[in-house]
């Protein structure tokens, strides 16, 4: 059976329904079905766009009916932390700062009159796996990183049945557990040299940059190892990465990996022969992207599909 891998939706219900229709899914018995395909959602169902609750409902119904898989994204993780208090201090594990409230605002609005549904969906988020290996493919929200995968497998934390007793370390990026989860769901960041900084897509000044976790190493330039847009690349140091940083690579002979998370733009295409990102910024005027996987070792450009709010790519 083919697997349709679908990128970050961020509350864009109309784009999701148009993409499912384009892929050949039809609504039957209250959920979307395909006679020959299963969907795999890469996470980040919520925030940003106008209808996060409806998107969660659509995906959850598909998963419950056996028509789809869904991974946890960093926005689902953030939502759990935003609504969970520290067992000792009583403070929320994700502080309710203006920045965090703004990022979560669309979701808070949609659930304002549905508190029971919010609790139910947060509990469902806690059941979502952090990564999957299915029929010759691998999927994770941001980075297939061996150290993080091995550490979480050792702790039996691919799925979240044991998470409650791990609070608050799970949401502490300085802990080993928090660092492992952070790498899978948010990618790998390297600190920039000296006082170098850049301004990200949301206008925040940063001194750490996401790197190409499948191909980054000392000796390469900062611009070649960074996994960011062109406007950010221009702000990065024109200097080689020093020997202080680890080599990151993903073997060309390993199964294809599919990720979301990175707010790409343009026409969907492979990042490497066996790596694809399916986040094409649908919540910022881009596209909702998918890939129909049928067992190939190398990613095929003709297997991508994408839709936008106003027209089909």
């Amino acid at each position: 059976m083919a697997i349709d891998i679908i990128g970050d939706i961020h509350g864009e219900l109309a784009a999701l329904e148009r993409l499912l229709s384009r892929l050949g899914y039809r609504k039957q018995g209250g959920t979307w079905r395909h006679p020959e395909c299963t969907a795999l959602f890469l996470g980040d169902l919520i925030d940003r766009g106008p209808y996060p609750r409806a998107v969660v409902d659509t995906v959850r119904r598909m998963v419950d009916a056996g028509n789809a898989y869904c991974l946890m994204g960093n926005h689902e993780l953030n939502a759990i932390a935003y609504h969970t208090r520290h067992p000792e201090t009583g403070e929320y594990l994700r502080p309710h700062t203006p920045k965090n409230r703004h990022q979560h605002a669309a979701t808070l609005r949609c659930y304002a009159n549905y508190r029971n549904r919010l609790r139910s969906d947060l509990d469902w988020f806690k059941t979502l796996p952090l990564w999957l290996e299915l029929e010759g493919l691998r999927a994770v929200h941001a980075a297939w990183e061996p150290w993080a995968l091995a550490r979480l497998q050792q702790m039996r934390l691919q799925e979240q049945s044991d998470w409650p007793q791990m609070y608050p370390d799970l949401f502490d990026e300085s802990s080993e557990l928090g660092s492992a989860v952070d790498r899978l769901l948010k990618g790998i960041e390297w600190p920039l040299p000296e006082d170098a900084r850049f301004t990200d897509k949301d206008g925040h000044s940063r001194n750490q940059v996401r790197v190409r976790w499948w191909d980054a190493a000392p000796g390469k330039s900062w611009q070649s190892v960074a996994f960011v847009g062109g406007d950010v690349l221009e702000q990065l140091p024109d200097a080689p990465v020093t020997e202080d940083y680890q080599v990151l690579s993903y073997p060309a002979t390993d199964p294809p990996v599919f990720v979301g998370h990175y707010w790409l733009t343009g026409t969907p295409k492979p990042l490497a022969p066996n790596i694809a990102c399916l986040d094409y910024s649908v919540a910022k005027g881009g596209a909702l992207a998918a890939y129909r996987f049928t067992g190939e070792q190398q990613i095929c450009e003709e297997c991508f599909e994408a839709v936008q709010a106003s027209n089909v790519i």
Side-chain angles (χ1 to χ4, degrees), residues 34-159:
H34 193 291
E36 299 175 347
C37 300
T38 300
L40 194 171
F41 296 94
L42 293 173
D44 278 9
L45 310 180
I46 61 170
D47 298 337
R48 309 285 188 183
Y51 301 111
R53 181 170 56 84
V55 168
V56 172
D57 184 65
T58 298
V59 173
R60 187 172 175 180
R61 286 174 182 268
M62 292 180 69
V63 172
D64 290 347
N67 303 322
Y69 304 93
C70 184
L71 293 175
M72 177 171 292
N74 64 299
H75 281 256
E76 285 75 43
L77 183 72
N78 288 346
I80 294 169
Y82 191 92
H83 297 280
T84 302
R85 292 182 182 272
H86 191 292
E88 295 176 1
T89 68
E91 298 292 328
Y92 285 103
L93 294 174
R94 183 168 176 81
H96 290 192
T97 62
K99 176 188 172 200
N100 291 342
R101 282 197 302 272
H102 175 73
Q103 186 184 73
H104 198 41
T107 301
L108 293 173
R109 283 194 299 270
C110 272
Y111 283 95
N113 298 318
Y114 298 88
R115 302 303 297 175
N116 289 338
R117 185 66 198 208
L118 174 61
R119 286 190 288 271
S120 175
D121 285 346
L122 288 170
D123 286 341
W124 182 67
F125 292 166
K126 295 172 187 177
T127 71
L128 301 177
L130 297 172
W131 73 92
L132 283 173
E133 294 190 72
L134 297 170
E135 303 177 34
L137 70 83
R138 293 169 171 173
V140 66
H141 185 66
W144 192 268
E145 205 281 317
W147 173 83
L149 292 163
R151 190 69 188 97
L152 292 171
Q153 284 174 325
Q154 183 183 24
M155 300 176 73
R156 300 180 183 274
L157 282 176
Q158 178 181 6
E159 296 185 4

Side-chain angles (χ1 to χ4, degrees), residues 221-241:
S221 72
W222 278 99
Q223 293 189 1
S224 68
V225 302
F227 191 24
V228 291
D231 55 338
V232 172
L233 281 177
E234 296 171 0
Q235 303 175 54
L236 298 181
D238 183 17
V241 176

